[in-house]
Amino acid sequence: MKKTDKDETVDQIKTRVVGIDIRLDKTTFGIVDVRGEIIAQDYFATSDYADVNDYVAVLAEKLLTLMEENGGYEYIRSVGISAPSASSVSGCIENAANLPWKGVIPLAAMLRDRVGMAVALANDAHITALGEKAYGSAHGMKDFVVVSMSHGGLGSCFYSNGLPHLGAQGFGGEVGHTCVRIGGRQCGCGNRGCLETYCTEKGLGRTIEKLMANNDKPTLLSEKKEWDIKTVAQCCDKGDEVAIEALRITGDILGVGLANYASVLNPEAIILTGDLTMAGKWLLKPMRKAFNEHVFPNIKDSTRILVSILKEGERDVLGASALAWDVKEYSLFK
Ligand SMILES: [Zn+2]
């Protein structure tokens, strides 16, 4: 047979994967092609399913529907999942504090059995960094740090010489639980003074409470019981002194934390992601000032600090899709 008979002599490859981002509030999943285009995306509430077996059944059903409505199952190569407290080594979610399911859950195997294709799983902080490397601000970089500041957590991961640093047990890179205040605030991890207790939306709330308790300055923030980052930034724009001071303190501590991290690692860039970055200059100016004052002077001018160019709702789906390409192709229905 001639080599030119393309249909019979040339093997076909699958050009699409699925990326899934599991968080406490919602699960987002999308079909992504080799160029990093999200072809279709959908989501549902994670916390509606107290039993993980029900959750996986619904997830598989919704995934298969999305595949059939967007080109078909036969073009999908594999699946990648981002989840908190997930181990890429075991394929399990292990004792997640921020998910409805307790204990050790073999999520990769459970989903593989339902969708009939290879499924890879990794920790959300590592997936965020992978997303930045594959499709975002860290593209082309070998040594970089990604710090994700969300409502309650400060996740981080660093790449060294092109590879993610996982550490002996897979917990490497946790700058959120490094100490920035001796005897400081109580952290969910059990220690005191962790960076995470200051540089998250929740931490910012604790700073605002303390500021309001310790002075009588009038503030727009006193009209609210909880403060999301957008509200605080808007108050800063209106000249609210307490809001500005709260973000100055947060930025100052963040700058010290990042300076310590950078002094150990000498990265090309630190990439900031997550809700807290929405504070813009009110956070970033004091952060940069403190960073410059505390970082090892030899690397001060060469360390770039960037805010991610990827959309919040898409980064971890893209990161999980990048992970999906890493897993060996497997199909029940070949
Ligand atoms: Zn901690």
Side-chain angles (χ1 to χ4, degrees), residues 88 122-147 155-167 172-175 261-262 264-271 303 315 318-324 326:
S88 54
N123 184 281
D124 49 5
H126 291 126
I127 290 289
T128 301
L130 185 55
E132 292 295 340
K133 182 164 172 59
Y135 301 114
S137 301
H139 199 74
M141 290 185 192
K142 283 187 162 183
D143 294 273
F144 62 94
V145 169
V146 176
V147 175
S156 60
C157 174
F158 70 91
Y159 269 64
S160 177
N161 202 20
L163 292 171
H165 177 86
L166 300 174
E174 287 279 7
V175 76
Y261 210 11
V264 174
L265 300 172
N266 185 18
E268 269 178 80
I270 298 171
I271 296 147
T303 311
R315 180 186 309 105
L318 287 174
S321 80
L323 179 75
D326 272 352

Side-chain angles (χ1 to χ4, degrees), residues 177 187 189 194:
H177 297 286
C187 181
C189 77
C194 294

Side-chain angles (χ1 to χ4, degrees), residues 56-312:
V56 174
V58 168
L59 174 60
E61 194 187 305
K62 286 180 184 291
L63 266 184
L64 293 170
T65 304
L66 193 75
M67 291 175 194
E68 286 315 316
E69 286 174 353
N70 294 279
Y73 179 90
E74 60 273 27
Y75 294 100
I76 312 289
R77 183 188 177 279
S78 45
V79 178
I81 306 175
S82 163
S85 306
S87 166
S88 54
V89 180
S90 66
C92 296
I93 294 176
E94 301 182 10
N95 309 308
N98 294 323
L99 286 176
W101 322 297
K102 302 300 159 216
V104 177
I105 297 151
L107 193 80
M110 288 168 78
L111 190 64
R112 180 199 63 206
D113 290 347
R114 290 212 175 244
V115 297
M117 62 180 74
V119 177
L121 173 74
N123 184 281
D124 49 5
H126 291 126
I127 290 289
T128 301
L130 185 55
E132 292 295 340
K133 182 164 172 59
Y135 301 114
S137 301
H139 199 74
M141 290 185 192
K142 283 187 162 183
D143 294 273
F144 62 94
V145 169
V146 176
V147 175
S148 179
M149 298 169 290
S150 63
H151 175 70
L154 191 149
S156 60
C157 174
F158 70 91
Y159 269 64
S160 177
N161 202 20
L163 292 171
H165 177 86
L166 300 174
Q169 292 169 264
F171 299 117
E174 287 279 7
V175 76
H177 297 286
T178 57
C179 183
V180 288
R181 288 281 188 278
I182 293 171
R185 292 176 182 171
Q186 181 68 48
C187 181
C189 77
N191 292 342
R192 282 188 171 274
C194 294
L195 186 64
E196 179 170 293
T197 64
Y198 299 90
C199 300
T200 55
E201 216 170 38
K202 232 167 140 180
L204 175 65
R206 288 167 86 170
T207 303
I208 291 170
E209 269 171 21
K210 200 176 164 194
L211 281 175
M212 290 199 332
N214 291 346
N215 74 58
D216 299 328
K217 269 185 196 161
T219 169
L220 297 163
L221 295 167
S222 60
E223 295 161 15
K224 316 247 177 215
K225 275 201 172 157
E226 274 190 35
W227 305 277
D228 64 56
I229 190 64
K230 265 190 191 167
T231 309
V232 180
Q234 280 165 1
C235 290
C236 291
D237 291 337
K238 290 174 189 163
D240 190 293
E241 284 181 36
V242 175
I244 292 170
E245 179 62 4
L247 279 172
R248 189 199 62 75
I249 293 168
T250 309
D252 192 43
I253 296 172
L254 180 61
V256 172
L258 296 182
N260 289 341
Y261 210 11
S263 297
V264 174
L265 300 172
N266 185 18
E268 269 178 80
I270 298 171
I271 296 147
L272 303 175
T273 75
D275 294 343
L276 214 67
T277 60
M278 285 194 277
K281 66 177 180 185
W282 302 109
L283 176 80
L284 302 177
K285 268 195 176 175
M287 177 273 297
R288 187 83 220 198
K289 185 169 175 285
F291 180 86
N292 287 345
E293 283 168 5
H294 293 92
V295 76
F296 181 50
N298 284 11
I299 65 167
K300 185 176 81 179
D301 296 329
S302 64
T303 311
R304 288 189 283 172
I305 302 182
L306 309 168
V307 173
S308 170
I309 54 169
L310 294 175
K311 287 184 194 160
E312 283 304 320

Side-chain angles (χ1 to χ4, degrees), residues 23-69:
R23 299 172 189 227
L24 179 61
D25 60 335
K26 67 178 177 180
T27 296
T28 311
F29 52 97
I31 297 171
V32 185
D33 72 10
V34 283
R35 295 183 179 87
E37 290 290 337
I38 298 176
I39 291 162
Q41 189 171 325
D42 203 356
Y43 66 91
F44 63 96
T46 310
S47 47
D48 281 357
Y49 303 93
D51 184 327
V52 73
N53 292 296
D54 297 339
Y55 171 80
V56 174
V58 168
L59 174 60
E61 194 187 305
K62 286 180 184 291
L63 266 184
L64 293 170
T65 304
L66 193 75
M67 291 175 194
E68 286 315 316
E69 286 174 353

